[in-house]
Each structure stands twice: as structure tokens, then as C-alpha cells.
Amino acid sequence: MKFRTLAAIAGIGMASVGMAAAADITGAGATFPFPLYSKWAEAYKAATGNGLNYQSIGSGGGIRQIKANTVDFGASDMPLKGADLEKDGLAQFPSAIGAEVPAISVPGIEARQLKLSGAVLADIYLGKIKKWDDAKIKELNPDLKLPSAGINVVYRSDGSGTTFVWTDYLSRVSDEWKTTVGANTSVSWPVGVGGKGNEGVTATVKQVPNSIGYVEYAYAKQNKLAYALIQNKDGKYPVPEIESFQAAAVNANWKEAPGFGIILNNQPGEKAWPVTSATFILMHKKSDKPEGSAAALKFFDWAYANGDKLATDLEYVPLPANVKDQVRAVWKAEIKDAGGKPLF
Amino acid sequence: MSAGTETVVYTETAARGRTMSLSTRNTIFRALCLSSALLVLAVLAGILLSMVIGGWPAFRAFGLGFFTGSAWDTQSDQYGAWPAIAGTLSSAVIALAIGVPLSLGVAIFLTQLAPRWIRTPVATAIELLAAVPSIIYGMWGLFIFVPLFAEYFQVPVSNVTEGLPIVGTILYARSPTGLGVATAGIILAFMIVPFIASIARDMLAQIPTVLRESAYGIGCTTWEVVRYVLVPQAGVSIIGAIMLGLGRALGETMAVTFVIGNANRLSTSILDPGSTIASRIANEFNEAIGLQMNALIATGCILFLVTFVVLVVARLLVARMKAV
């Protein structure tokens, strides 16, 4: 009796797993776009009945998984270089855009009051500017009353695409940063303390007065953190919002890099927010599992067409329409099954 | 001897009416026990082997420099484990320095001094502390303890020690954020207290009352009873308990990651941020590729060895004390 019940339960369990596996698209990788992909997946399931199983195991894990061919797509915040894509036969395209802001906790200074240039930010993170009332910061903010307190630099301790985007920005605006530290998902920080995850950085910035730490814009907004404005390439101080993030994407030359692998940091444009980056999807160009690949492409096509509202609700920035069309063209041209038939 | 006879009688009763002979059943039982024991050994050897293989590229690339080097640079693929090893050892030492006296105090109070009505609640509370998941210690540490520690310890202490020789290098926070090796050590101390305290309490409670009462009878004070009768009696087990706590302190990951400040730099001050082997692996494993991954596995291998050495030293100490 007992055994029969158990067997029945096991049978039901196995059947449901089997059904889910047959229909679900599988993906793994970056944690940054995880909330967006889950939201898209939920809406996609409601609209089409097809599910998406996305595991946010980190960009490095996503790259490993797609190379090992255990998932239909991998996701990474750091674009792969042309040579790496070539070597593993991978196609790469962006799915959405995110931006970062320098969150601050300087007593008496509110959001969007403090202005910083890229060079000053790099010097702060290099430990060369040590106090908030340093002449270089004062020069940019003649009207603000800055405390004579030490700057607590905060960074992400876990390897993360957020760190890659931030350090890439600092490398673009400071040669010294580029040569001594460089850009990567985790770097060897000259000064500061590391918080684990966005929540760790947020907690430290909030709790320790006179701190500065980089977080994704959505995170700063949800947690009501004060943040500084950054001077962009045109010398202006745009306000971080969907429009200024999209301004960075529109002016970029997407075709210049293989696999759309450009980073939107420090793009020209009066309104362009300087610390902006796309998050990327990786798929095999010659698919061993054509059904899975085709289903994944269908999902992203649907998300491009119907997912913009969901993305902006979550403070992600949808790709500009011209970029979406370029990506669709690449799907048609590059992603094929073993026989060379296009999957999209 | 009598226990053995009883067992035989019992098995004979149980075996009555069954087809399998007594010796076959014994052989099967023996084989099962042996294979469980061997399985554990095999798992241990397997883990060690896979870590050595995984970390081998890093050991080969940097040689001994991997143990002594202090660079951890993903850009130029240069890795040295020394800051993480130093952070692991110093946070564990701080944890023991605070945790051991505290635990012994708790154990002695509970067994010797506490009125009966207070014993059970306090003992239960200590045991509950052991059941709190480490992530809770980490969150509590980060959100509650860290700001308090910064305001009431780091800032005043740094103001006093600034510029002093020696003390000024060990106890000075360049940026008093509350995060650091000392903070991690203190949180770890809270985490190991329940382990050490409950084992020490059990050991002290097992000492025959006669011993204690005769010491009191010849006019010893409570301190003298504890110092000259109880501690020598329970000494070996207490060292075992401390080593168990040390093992936990060395390997603790989540709570430490939250409060240690995660800096891959070497610092002379315990109030500065640092990192431990476990926290570095937790931080970087997700995104690590290539040699960085090998280097992380290699640090894991080092942690394995450090823990192993600690256990061996504990065993030797216990054996020596028993011989005396």
C-alpha cells in the first residue's frame, strides 16, 4: 500500500519533470539580467505556454555552460572578444541595457547634487584623492559644502559584470587606471572595502558615512541611495534615467565589434549617461539541438517585440529599435542547425 | 564481556526461524561496516585528489611563490595566496582568543556555579546559538554589529593609536568602516562559542563529584578547584573542543564574507579589511575562468592542508597530555 503510493508520487513527479524538460528553454549565466529574464519568461509562458528555465549562476558560469553545450543559451555581462567567439563557434547579441551610478553617503549632500568627472572618480578609486574636500572635487562643485572627511571607497567583492562595466569605464577615462588596475569582473583594488553583491555594497555605503560605491541604477533607485552625477564625453552632466541610458546606446556603432560586443561606456552624445552597458546572450552558431536554439530565438524575438514595457518597469533599458533589427538580421544569417538551415 | 554474551543470545533469538546462518550474517554485517568506513576514506581521498588536480596549473605556474606571493591580479594572471592565508589564520586566532575564555567561562559557570533553575535555560540558549545558520550571523554582523563596531571601537581606538609605534600599525583603521579582520574574528568567536562551551560543559559535568567535594573539603576555593582539579581532569577534551572550534573558524565562509571587507591586499592592521581563503573562493568562484579558477582551487587545497595540520597537531597534543 505504502509502496504503491510512493510509486505513484514518484511517477507523477517524473512525468511533470519530463513534461517541463520537453518544453522549457534552458539558459544560464549573468545575475544582473536575472530579474528581467524571469519577468519576460513569466509573460512569455502566459502568452505562448512555453517556459524558460534560467539559472543565474554568474557570467563566467554562463560562458562555461554554453561552451559545454548544456544549455540553449548562455548569458554574460562581459562581451566575449571576436577571437573567442570564433574559436567556440558562438554567436553573441545584446538583450537589454543597464546603467550604473556612483552611490554616495556624504552628510548634507543629496542625490544628483555632487558632480564628478571620470578622471576624479578614477583618482578616488586609485586612492589618490583621499578627502571629500579635495581641491579637484571642489573645483567641480564650487557651490557645495564638502566635509573634510576621508573617502570610504566601496567595491563589489564578488566577481561581477557590474565590476567589469565600472572598471572598464575607469580604464577609458584614466590611463593610470588602465595600466595599473585594468578592467575585469574582479580586479585588484588599490583601496577600499568590498561588499558582497549589490546588497553588500548598498549596506556599506548606507551605513558608513562619507562612502562612495558603484551600484546598478535600479538598485540605487529602489534603495533610495544618494548618487553623484558623472561628466560625460561631451562635458555635460546628464541625469541618470531611461532616456540618457538609451542615448548612450543609440549613438554607439554596434556594427563595429564582432557579436555586438561593444561596451557603451563613455559614448558621445550630449544626453548619454557615461556608465552604461548591454548584457549579452551567447548561442552556438551551428546548433546540435536545433529545437532548443530555435525556441530560444523565438523567445528573444518575442521579448524584443513585447518586453520593452516589462523591462522599463524593472529599470532596464530596452534596446533601440534599429539595434533589434540588426540583431534579428544576424540571427537569420548566422544561427543554423547542423545541416546549415537557418533557425530563425 | 557480559555485553558480548547478551548480543549472541539476542542474535540467536532473532535468527530463529531464518534461513541464513549466524556466520553468514556476521560476515555481511562486517562487510557493510567496513565498506562504510572505506567509503568515507575514498571520498576524502577523492576530494583531496580532485583539488590537487584542479589547482595543479596554479601550483606549477607560481611554485612556492603561490604560498608567499601577495598579488591577486586577474588582469595579468598573477596569483599569490599569502594575504588570504594570513587573513584566515589571523581571523581564526582572534576568534579563539575571544571565544575560548568565553566558552570556558560559560562551561564552568553552568557546571559549578549556576543555581539549578538557570542552568537549563542558559544551556539551551547556547545550544540554539549553534543551530543559527551562518548567513544569519553574517547579516546580523553586517547590519547591526558593523556600524556599532565602527562607531564605538574602530573610531575611538584609531584616534588613540594613530601614529603610535607597533600598536599604531596593528590597531589602526585607515577608513573606519567597521569591516575588517577583527570584525570577522569577533563574529567567528560568537559562532564557535556554542561548540566549545557545550563540549567543555559535558566534560566538566562528567568529572566525579567525589573529586570536587574532596577538594572543597580540604579548604580549596572555587578558583582553586577549577584551576587544579577540574581543568587538568578535562584538559584533553577541552583541547579537542577548541580544535573543533578552530576548524569551524578556519572554514567559515558566508558570515566572514559579509564582514571581513574582502580586500585582496595584505595589511598590517587587524582593523583593516582583508580576506580569508573561504571568503575569496565564495566571492570569485562564480565568475572565475582559466588560471584564476585553478588558483582558487589551489587555495582551497591549501585550506584543506591547513585544517589537516591543525587536526594532526590537536591529536598529538591530546596524545601527549594523555601520556603525561
Side-chain angles (χ1 to χ4, degrees), chain B:
Chain B
M1 203 60 221
S2 67
T5 344
E6 270 167 30
T7 319
V8 172
V9 172
Y10 172 74
T11 37
E12 269 172 359
T13 329
R16 200 167 294 152
R18 305 227 170 131
T19 47
M20 213 180 276
S21 80
L22 193 62
S23 68
T24 326
R25 290 160 58 78
N26 263 338
T27 317
I28 292 175
F29 181 65
R30 187 182 286 255
L32 280 176
C33 289
L34 180 70
S35 55
S36 327
L38 288 180
L39 183 69
V40 175
L41 275 185
V43 168
L44 190 72
I47 292 175
L48 185 60
L49 189 70
S50 54
M51 285 176 77
V52 169
I53 292 173
W56 191 247
F59 286 129
R60 200 180 45 200
F62 307 112
L64 264 185
F66 187 73
F67 295 87
T68 55
S70 56
W72 190 271
D73 187 355
T74 51
Q75 276 314 95
S76 51
D77 257 351
Q78 286 300 316
Y79 302 102
W82 178 239
I85 299 174
T88 308
L89 295 177
S90 49
S91 61
V93 166
I94 294 170
L96 286 188
I98 300 169
V100 169
L102 209 61
S103 319
L104 294 184
V106 167
I108 292 168
F109 175 75
L110 285 179
T111 50
Q112 312 300 323
L113 304 169
R116 192 166 290 277
W117 60 269
I118 207 173
R119 269 183 211 177
T120 326
V122 173
T124 316
I126 301 272
E127 268 154 28
L128 275 179
L129 267 185
V132 174
S134 61
I135 185 104
I136 304 293
Y137 280 101
M139 308 264 286
W140 175 81
L142 178 62
F143 291 112
I144 314 289
F145 183 73
V146 162
L148 295 175
F149 188 66
E151 198 178 339
Y152 297 107
F153 189 84
Q154 279 198 339
V155 173
V157 167
S158 298
N159 286 344
V160 172
T161 58
E162 186 166 8
L164 292 178
I166 304 171
V167 188
T169 42
I170 300 173
L171 277 176
Y172 174 68
R174 257 169 290 181
S175 55
T177 51
L179 302 164
V181 177
T183 320
I186 295 170
I187 297 290
L188 282 175
F190 289 126
M191 298 178 74
I192 62 174
V193 160
F195 287 90
I196 306 180
S198 45
I199 297 180
R201 185 184 61 117
D202 289 348
M203 291 307 139
L204 290 177
Q206 276 178 16
I207 294 171
T209 328
V210 185
L211 269 180
R212 215 157 24 110
E213 282 175 355
S214 35
Y216 280 120
I218 58 167
C220 289
T221 61
T222 312
W223 163 250
E224 284 165 341
V225 174
V226 169
R227 171 68 187 81
Y228 298 105
V229 180
L230 300 183
V231 169
Q233 280 289 318
V236 172
S237 334
I238 289 174
I239 287 184
I242 293 173
M243 289 301 154
L244 198 69
L246 179 58
R248 171 143 203 213
L250 289 171
E252 176 49 41
T253 310
M254 229 42 225
V256 171
T257 310
F258 270 79
V259 298
I260 200 165
N262 301 307
N264 296 348
R265 304 180 295 267
L266 203 56
S267 174
T268 47
S269 169
I270 56 167
L271 297 183
D272 273 344
S275 62
T276 68
I277 291 175
S279 76
R280 184 170 295 177
I281 294 175
N283 273 319
E284 296 187 8
F285 201 75
N286 267 356
E287 301 281 334
I289 3 180
L291 193 58
Q292 187 189 0
M293 179 61 104
N294 300 127
L296 285 176
I297 298 175
T299 55
C301 196
I302 294 174
L303 181 61
F304 200 103
L305 291 179
V306 170
T307 322
F308 188 71
V309 168
V310 164
L311 280 176
V312 169
V313 169
R315 277 285 156 97
L316 290 178
L317 269 179
V318 171
R320 250 185 81 185
M321 287 189 69
K322 267 187 181 151
V324 173

Side-chain angles (χ1 to χ4, degrees), chain A residues 18-56:
Chain A
M19 268 154 63
D24 274 8
I25 306 159
T26 54
T31 44
F32 159 66
F34 175 59
L36 176 63
Y37 295 165
S38 331
K39 201 80 193 167
W40 277 352
E42 201 182 297
Y44 187 64
K45 177 118 189 168
T48 65
N50 294 323
L52 165 71
N53 175 6
Y54 182 76
Q55 294 169 7
S56 61

